[in-house]
């Protein structure tokens, strides 16, 4: 049977403007280009899982969109990547989610999300998600849909026998029960610090073991810290593993974390060892940051394999 991955989360149309530098509060800057690119953390993870998993993987997406042209476009983009979108339902209550994104010339971005229909994925919908979770090896979650829904769906996914991967993004404090429901927790530095009640900051890779241990003590079974250009650090209690980042020229880091999570899920669903899974995920994310946009930057599996061969 083909391995199954499921994603519960957001779908947004990203409005992307490239700028020479990010605007300060109250400032107007002139942008140099504008594109509408399919995004949303959930949809990005689903799109990337399908492209990285290839024909051998079944990927299902569950979420909410509005009745508008963005919804059609977002669903078509996922379908084209090979994602089963039959659990992406439309609501009349809100328009499809959008994100306004500025990307500067160093590849840094600022993102504001108007969640819209994503906030209409309600706890009452969790029961209907069970068939989506059935037979799934992993179910991927993020935090752009209501927290109560995420919590219920995490529980339901585990009851259906799947392992859960929780991306605690956008950064926020979470009740400990969320971390206990995560088989794999994948924060970046900011998200990790905020989960631990500390102010956001850049942390040296040497601090990663302490952060990962603290998060495991809060309940996460396995922690994979995403450290940007410092690579990633995995701690499952028995083993700690640091995988350095691949050096690349950064054009736009939007969705790199989403693509990392998809790569990790794909490789683990294929029962590859964790070292390989982390390298595969890092390579997929590294390729993505050399390109503009969220789903537009997702590499195909063959590209990641070629990249890894060249990297040695
Ligand atoms: O993680 C990147 C994503 O965050 C963007 O695609 C945007 O839609 C926001 O959800």
């Amino acid at each position: 049977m083909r391995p199954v991955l499921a994603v519960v989360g957001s779908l947004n149309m990203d409005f992307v403007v490239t700028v020479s530098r990010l605007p300060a509060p109250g400032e107007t800057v002139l942008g140099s280009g504008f594109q509408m690119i399919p995004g949303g953390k959930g949809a990005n993870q689903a799109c990337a899982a399908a492209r990285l998993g290839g024909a051998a993987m079944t990927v299902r997406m569950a979420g909410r969109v509005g009745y508008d042209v963005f919804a059609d476009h977002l669903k078509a983009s996922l379908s084209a990547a090979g994602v089963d979108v039959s659990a992406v339902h439309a609501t009349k209550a809100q328009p499809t989610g959008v994100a306004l994104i500025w990307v500067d010339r160093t590849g840094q971005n600022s993102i504001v999300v108007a969640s819209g229909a994503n906030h209409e994925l309600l706890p009452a919908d969790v029961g209907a998600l069970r068939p989506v979770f059935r037979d799934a090896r992993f179910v991927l979650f993020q935090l752009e849909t209501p927290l109560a829904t995420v919590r219920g769906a995490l529980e339901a996914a585990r009851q259906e026998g799947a392992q859960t991967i929780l991306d605690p993004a956008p950064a926020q404090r979470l009740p400990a029960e969320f971390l206990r429901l995560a088989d794999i927790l994948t924060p970046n530095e900011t998200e990790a610090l905020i989960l631990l009640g500390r102010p956001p900051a850049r942390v040296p890779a040497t601090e990663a073991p302490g952060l990962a241990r603290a998060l495991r003590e809060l309940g996460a079974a396995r922690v994979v810290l995403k450290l940007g250009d410092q690579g990633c650090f995995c701690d499952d209690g028995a083993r700690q593993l640091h995988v350095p980042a691949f050096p690349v020229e950064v054009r736009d880091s939007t969705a790199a974390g989403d693509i990392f999570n998809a790569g990790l899920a794909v490789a683990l669903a294929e029962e590859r060892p964790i070292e390989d899974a982390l390298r595969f995920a890092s390579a997929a994310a590294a390729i993505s940051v050399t390109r503009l946009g969220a789903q537009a930057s997702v590499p195909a599996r063959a590209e990641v394999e070629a990249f890894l061969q060249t990297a040695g």
Side-chain angles (χ1 to χ4, degrees):
M1 192 174 135
R2 290 164 24 133
V4 177
L5 294 176
V7 181
V8 178
S10 57
L11 301 94
N12 296 326
M13 182 55 81
D14 291 352
F15 291 71
V16 183
V17 180
T18 45
V19 290
S20 56
R21 61 184 175 76
L22 301 179
E27 188 187 17
T28 301
V29 298
L30 295 182
S32 56
F34 167 72
Q35 289 187 50
M36 284 193 287
I37 301 176
K41 294 184 193 305
N44 296 343
Q45 294 187 5
C47 172
R51 297 202 70 198
L52 296 170
M57 189 84 49
T58 295
V59 180
R60 303 173 185 146
M61 169 88 205
R64 281 283 177 282
V65 289
Y67 279 97
D68 46 43
V69 65
F70 297 145
D72 301 339
H73 200 78
L74 292 172
K75 283 170 72 173
S77 168
L78 287 180
S79 297
V83 178
D84 173 352
V85 293
S86 51
V88 176
H89 297 298
T91 170
K92 288 189 175 141
Q94 291 275 355
T96 299
V98 297
L100 308 180
I101 303 182
W102 327 139
V103 182
D104 75 10
R105 62 170 158 239
T106 69
Q108 288 223 79
N109 61 45
S110 284
I111 303 182
V112 176
V113 174
S115 297
N118 295 305
H119 269 184
E120 297 296 321
L121 188 67
L122 300 172
D125 298 319
V126 168
L129 295 179
R130 285 183 180 271
V132 177
F133 303 151
R134 220 150 276 157
D135 305 321
R137 296 202 177 156
F138 290 92
V139 183
L140 292 84
F141 296 87
Q142 332 71 39
L143 302 177
E144 288 186 330
T145 48
L147 281 189
T149 311
V150 175
R151 189 191 182 288
L154 279 162
E155 272 174 347
R158 284 165 65 120
Q159 284 161 5
E160 294 297 331
Q163 291 192 62
T164 55
I165 301 181
L166 175 60
D167 198 8
Q172 58 198 277
R173 290 215 70 176
L174 285 175
E177 73 228 38
F178 276 78
L179 306 199
R180 286 197 287 271
L181 290 168
D183 291 296
I184 307 180
L185 181 74
T186 62
N188 64 20
E189 291 155 293
T190 303
E191 291 148 9
L193 289 168
I194 288 179
L195 284 172
L196 293 167
R198 290 171 51 183
R202 270 242 78 180
V203 288
T206 47
E207 271 193 40
L211 280 184
R213 190 173 345 111
L215 289 168
R216 280 200 314 97
E217 282 164 8
L218 286 183
R222 180 188 268 181
V223 174
V224 176
L225 283 174
K226 296 182 279 195
L227 302 169
D229 59 4
Q230 300 184 95
C232 61
F233 182 85
C234 174
D235 180 355
D236 64 5
R239 282 183 69 193
Q240 288 77 34
L241 198 61
H242 176 240
V243 173
F246 294 98
V248 288
E249 200 157 312
V250 178
R251 173 147 189 238
D252 175 14
S253 58
T254 305
D258 302 328
I259 293 164
F260 179 98
N261 274 40
L264 183 68
V266 163
L268 291 177
E270 291 170 349
E271 298 179 349
R272 290 157 72 170
I274 184 68
E275 296 87 332
D276 286 8
L278 293 170
R279 267 175 66 76
F280 183 78
S282 301
I287 297 171
S288 80
V289 302
T290 65
R291 301 170 178 167
L292 183 72
Q295 288 168 44
S297 73
V298 175
R301 183 188 184 93
E303 285 178 88
V304 179
E305 281 166 355
F307 180 93
L308 282 167
Q309 263 196 341
T310 310

